[in-house]
Amino acid sequence: MKVWLNGKEVETAATSLTLLTEELDLPVEGVAVAVNNRMVPRSQWADYVLTEGVHIVIIKAACGG
Amino acid sequence: MFSDELEKISWEETTDRINAKTDADVRRALAKEHCDVEDFMAMISPAAAPYLETMARLSRKYTEERFGKTISMFIPLYITNSCTNSCVYCGFHVSNPMRRTILTEEEIENEYKAIKKLAPFENLLIVTGENPAKAGVPYLARALDLAKPYFSNLKIEVMPLKAEEYAELKRHGMNGVICFQETYHKDNYKLYHPRGMKSNFEWRVNGFDRMGQAEVHSIGMGVLLGLEKEWRTDITMMARHLRYLQKHYWRTKYSVNFPRMRPSENGGFQPNVVVSDRELAQATFAMRIFDHDVDISYSTRESAVFRDHMATLGVTTMSAESKTEPGGYYTYPQALEQFHVSDERTAAEVEKALKKEGREPVWKDWDASFDLKVFAGR
Amino acid sequence: MEKLVIAGREFSSRLFLGTGKFNSNELMTQAIKASGTEMVTVAMKRIELGDKEDDMLQHIINPGIQLLPNTSGVRNAEEAVFAAQMAREAFGTNWLKLEIHPDPRYLLPDSTETLKATEQLVKMGFVVLPYCQADPTLCKHLEEAGAATVMPLGAPIGTNRGLQTRDFLRIIIEQAGVPVVVDAGIGAPSHAAEAMELGASACLVNTAIAVAGDPVAMARAFRQAVEAGRTAYEAGLGVQAESFVAEASSPLTSFLDE
């Protein structure tokens, strides 16, 4: 299935957000995910079913003032 | 609410701090362009007495920077002396067997006309006792409505009201409220105001918050000098209150008054302390150096000579030819006054004297029609 | 030094640190330690695929340090609200440094959008610390909207030019009912000390420390400067402008003796 991740089209086998974050090997803390411009709380990742072509934004901590 | 702030401030500690101020504390305060309450305490302390001339110079400088050489002129009108309070120092005391007057609409209008014949007054202060049942908010609203054709800036000096009542009176053209706390000494306040609605300290002291919440344009404050022996502490509390109000209700313009009691010649209440001219001047200068923008108002309680000098040294607002009895300008020219007027000159004479001192008396500096809400309501 | 209280949390240190522009996370960690700070800002970025870089967060997570996520990169209130939600999720804190700069050149804060976003975010339960212009009226509006502090700029960000907005900062400090944190423009410890002497509640410093020859030593210098400035403020500064003596002649007040 193809989805948009941070503006790039990527191929993924993950069917839920939890599986996607595992596939991407993301750090446990300091990450937030939005699908189609809506933030999805971590507690809902497991049940969040990914569908073809959705826009996913994943952010993490960075240095900044 | 300011009563909560006041809980955190000890009167005794403030008094001790004022009395402990040193020469160095005074110099430090005078060198600052922006003073805090600590600095104010130094300037009003006995330690500042040798610096009176320096303080006068600074006070004049800051006043001229912000106000130029103008003095805003106003006149009070007492529309009733009916009062349910029993303030021990007041001529309108409830148990004083005097004739009580509540001016009728016709009488009020006659007073307005009579005032306009004295001088081109545009700033009117409507004053009442406290009798909400007989002379409450609707009565005040009516007096304001009647005043609009004659005056462009209307203030009231009445009992503390609810925020919505202030808002209501604003709709009738009220631009400012003056209310004297009399004293910030909570326990002694009860002694001076033993009965009646005024005996509630919190209701009065929080009245200023309610004015601010109602977005009253101009708020006037004052402590009655003569009640508390530690008058420096009382004025310091007022300075704190001023800073508090400025922080919370920053759209409002503030004025301070220093009503001073004199020894009574015909018995009656004798002041607990007599503040001298020199001390009152010090308090005035200290207030100006503390706050460059606050209006400082002197009434006709003060003598002609003192007023004329102080008009060049920090005072920015003055009344003239005031009568302190209801209907005093036309209806009842001989009635019993609330307090004795020292400066008995006519407004024209005051104007002439101020001009001689190089001051410009300003009769009109605000027009209620600038207030869109009032304007739209016309 | 009095403790600083923001939204009910006490801070012993009045120096806040930005984490941008350090050469390495290691250096940043040492600088944070040397500064004694209890509040550090942190930004957000989109992850890159296959990115194996060091996770900066693990360097600053510490119970003694309040994380202050910023909204850097957003251009209006709507984007700021979205960024705030992401930040709350990512960092597990409702504290937020709100910064909205639509202009990529000088990164100057947008006053109208900042006020709008503050109003919304406060309602959503955020502790909002808005970076803003040194505009006293704006600061009162932000305070009334529920901002936990105001963070006016001393000079354009990254310029190290010090307190160019001094006269306005003074008014803001005098009027504010919330802590005033001077943010942006502080280029030297003397600037930070001056801000504290004026009565600012805290300073937020980043570039001046991160790009110093020795960032760790500079962090220590800022710590000392902020403490010195605050202590001086609390102590009451001595006579600076002119020295007053009791005047022998009294042309203005002689009428009082008559």
Side-chain angles (χ1 to χ4, degrees):
Chain A
M1 174 173 66
K2 285 192 169 167
V3 297
W4 293 88
L5 179 59
N6 287 349
K8 286 182 187 148
E9 198 171 35
V10 296
E11 182 69 34
T12 176
T15 52
S16 74
L17 278 180
T18 300
L19 294 172
L20 180 70
T21 55
E22 284 167 10
E23 189 180 290
L24 294 170
D25 193 20
L26 293 179
V28 198
E29 278 180 318
V31 172
V33 177
V35 180
N36 294 337
N37 290 327
R38 292 191 80 99
M39 193 273 291
V40 183
R42 192 175 295 255
S43 58
Q44 295 173 17
W45 287 359
D47 298 330
Y48 201 104
V49 179
L50 292 178
T51 53
E52 182 82 25
V54 290
H55 286 263
I56 302 165
V57 170
I58 303 181
I59 61 95
K60 67 167 196 170
C63 298
Chain B
M1 291 285 176
F2 188 66
S3 62
D4 301 325
E5 298 295 313
L6 215 48
E7 289 293 317
K8 299 178 210 154
I9 306 166
S10 152
W11 176 281
E12 289 71 25
E13 196 197 318
T14 303
T15 305
D16 291 346
R17 290 243 291 282
I18 292 170
N19 290 330
K21 291 294 179 191
T22 63
D23 192 71
D25 294 327
V26 177
R27 286 164 176 249
R28 185 167 53 242
L30 296 182
K32 280 189 186 176
E33 213 182 319
H34 300 267
C35 291
D36 56 23
V37 175
E38 278 301 320
D39 299 317
F40 182 81
M41 287 157 73
M43 292 188 289
I44 205 167
S45 76
Y51 293 90
L52 199 65
E53 181 70 19
T54 305
M55 289 174 69
R57 187 156 51 76
L58 286 170
S59 176
R60 172 183 281 182
K61 173 179 157 245
Y62 292 136
T63 304
E64 291 185 357
E65 274 174 15
R66 302 301 168 101
F67 295 87
K69 297 190 175 185
T70 61
I71 298 288
S72 177
M73 306 298 295
F74 79 99
I75 190 160
L77 171 66
Y78 287 67
I79 55 173
T80 176
N81 57 7
S82 175
C83 192
T84 55
N85 287 320
S86 46
C87 315
V88 296
Y89 49 81
C90 179
F92 294 170
H93 188 291
V94 66
S95 43
N96 187 355
M98 58 188 281
R99 183 196 153 93
R100 300 289 168 164
T101 307
I102 299 175
L103 294 185
T104 64
E105 291 190 8
E106 191 188 340
E107 286 167 342
I108 289 174
E109 196 148 8
N110 285 336
E111 294 297 315
Y112 294 159
K113 286 178 188 160
I115 287 171
K116 293 300 279 194
K117 284 185 186 147
L118 302 177
F121 283 109
E122 289 286 338
N123 301 322
L124 178 73
L125 177 66
I126 297 174
V127 189
T128 70
E130 179 157 9
N131 189 349
K134 290 183 180 163
V137 171
Y139 178 64
L140 283 166
R142 195 65 200 124
L144 289 164
D145 288 340
L146 291 169
K148 274 194 236 174
Y150 299 96
F151 303 94
S152 56
N153 184 15
L154 304 174
K155 295 190 186 185
I156 58 168
E157 184 175 349
V158 304
M159 60 283 186
L161 302 174
K162 297 175 188 158
E164 56 266 31
E165 291 173 328
Y166 288 124
E168 166 70 14
L169 293 178
K170 269 181 75 181
R171 287 190 284 275
H172 289 273
M174 179 199 78
N175 184 52
V177 180
I178 293 175
C179 183
F180 294 164
Q181 179 56 36
E182 320 295 10
T183 179
Y184 288 89
H185 194 299
K186 194 173 162 181
D187 294 339
N188 290 352
Y189 179 93
K190 301 259 156 71
L191 302 178
Y192 309 130
H193 311 97
R195 285 176 304 279
M197 280 164 289
K198 195 165 169 181
S199 63
N200 186 336
F201 179 85
E202 277 81 11
W203 176 249
R204 192 167 189 89
V205 82
N206 291 335
F208 299 86
D209 282 274
R210 297 193 299 274
M211 295 169 205
Q213 285 157 5
E215 296 190 14
V216 170
H217 285 167
S218 165
I219 295 178
M221 316 168 72
V223 287
L224 188 50
L225 301 177
L227 292 183
E228 280 306 304
K229 280 206 173 64
E230 289 149 356
W231 56 272
R232 299 171 202 268
T233 310
D234 235 345
I235 298 179
T236 298
M237 294 299 189
M238 180 168 72
R240 282 208 172 105
H241 196 181
L242 174 65
R243 275 284 184 272
Y244 163 89
L245 291 170
Q246 286 171 328
K247 231 172 220 195
H248 287 81
Y249 313 105
W250 51 282
R251 293 175 181 84
T252 295
K253 180 176 158 61
Y254 295 90
S255 68
V256 294
N257 301 262
F258 299 103
R260 171 166 64 152
M261 298 173 84
R262 308 281 190 162
S264 169
E265 283 164 17
N266 44 5
F269 182 82
Q270 290 298 334
N272 297 321
V273 61
V274 176
V275 174
S276 70
D277 283 1
R278 187 166 274 276
E279 288 166 334
L280 182 56
Q282 183 187 346
T284 306
F285 303 152
M287 184 56 74
R288 171 61 66 224
I289 299 167
F290 173 68
D291 194 302
H292 304 178
D293 296 289
V294 73
D295 241 318
I296 299 181
S297 181
Y298 268 28
S299 77
T300 52
R301 279 175 188 265
E302 298 303 334
S303 73
V305 174
F306 190 61
R307 291 200 331 148
D308 288 354
H309 279 103
M310 293 302 288
T312 71
L313 297 176
V315 170
T316 49
T317 297
M318 279 191 178
S319 50
E321 209 169 343
S322 306
K323 305 290 178 205
T324 64
E325 63 274 5
Y329 300 101
Y330 183 84
T331 319
Y332 303 106
Q334 302 302 326
L336 178 69
E337 55 191 12
Q338 188 199 22
F339 62 83
H340 182 64
V341 163
S342 295
D343 183 349
E344 293 179 313
R345 293 175 297 179
T346 65
E349 284 164 344
V350 173
E351 179 179 29
K352 204 173 153 198
L354 288 174
K355 282 189 168 161
K356 198 165 152 249
E357 296 286 342
R359 301 293 117 173
E360 179 67 28
V362 173
W363 304 96
K364 176 175 179 176
D365 51 11
W366 173 258
D367 195 305
S369 63
F370 294 146
D371 187 336
L372 292 178
K373 278 178 205 152
V374 174
F375 193 62
R378 275 184 176 177
Chain C
M1 259 193 342
E2 282 172 29
K3 286 214 159 77
L4 168 64
V5 180
I6 301 175
R9 176 161 179 166
E10 275 193 2
F11 295 87
S12 298
S13 163
R14 291 172 178 269
L15 174 60
F16 302 161
L17 225 63
T19 55
K21 302 183 189 170
F22 284 92
N23 285 344
S24 70
N25 285 343
E26 181 56 31
L27 203 53
M28 175 187 79
T29 312
Q30 287 176 28
I32 288 172
K33 210 170 160 206
S35 73
T37 188
E38 294 168 4
M39 177 125 77
V40 298
T41 65
V42 46
M44 291 175 287
K45 68 174 182 184
R46 295 176 170 212
I47 60 153
E48 306 260 351
L49 292 181
D51 159 20
K52 290 286 168 244
E53 72 175 21
D54 190 15
D55 176 17
M56 67 84 67
L57 206 52
Q58 71 192 16
H59 293 275
I60 52 177
I61 294 274
N62 177 326
I65 290 182
Q66 172 69 51
L67 278 187
L68 185 64
N70 70 27
T71 61
S72 179
V74 309
R75 289 159 302 174
N76 57 42
E78 193 189 352
E79 291 179 6
V81 169
F82 176 67
Q85 290 172 305
M86 295 294 272
R88 180 157 61 179
E89 176 70 11
F91 302 114
T93 176
N94 57 353
W95 288 51
L96 189 76
K97 178 183 171 187
L98 176 64
E99 49 180 303
I100 303 180
H101 23 71
D103 130 52
R105 192 165 164 216
Y106 296 110
L107 302 179
L108 290 170
D110 182 323
S111 301
T112 49
E113 293 296 313
T114 301
L115 179 58
K116 209 192 297 175
T118 300
E119 284 165 351
Q120 291 178 30
L121 290 166
V122 167
K123 285 191 192 120
M124 293 165 70
F126 285 92
V127 174
V128 183
L129 291 75
Y131 166 56
C132 62
Q133 298 282 359
D135 172 345
T137 305
L138 172 67
C139 287
K140 287 310 281 186
H141 283 303
L142 289 168
E143 180 183 330
E144 287 177 351
T149 66
V150 289
M151 302 215 289
L153 50 79
I157 200 161
T159 60
N160 287 350
R161 285 170 59 82
L163 306 184
Q164 299 295 315
T165 57
R166 183 179 295 103
D167 289 352
F168 302 102
L169 291 174
R170 202 191 288 275
I171 297 171
I172 292 167
I173 291 164
E174 184 184 295
Q175 293 186 336
V178 292
V180 177
V181 182
V182 177
D183 186 0
I186 293 179
S190 57
H191 300 156
E194 189 190 358
M196 300 310 290
E197 284 171 6
L198 282 179
S201 305
C203 288
L204 200 161
V205 182
N206 189 346
T207 310
I209 291 175
V211 306
D214 180 346
V216 179
M218 189 56 83
R220 203 178 308 120
F222 267 100
R223 173 190 196 152
Q224 291 162 347
V226 166
E227 284 178 7
R230 179 67 194 185
T231 306
Y233 171 74
E234 288 175 14
L237 288 169
V239 175
Q240 297 165 320
E242 47 183 311
S243 179
F244 292 108
V245 288
E247 295 178 31
S249 69
S250 50
L252 297 181
T253 52
S254 56
F255 73 95
L256 294 166
D257 303 319
E258 282 161 14

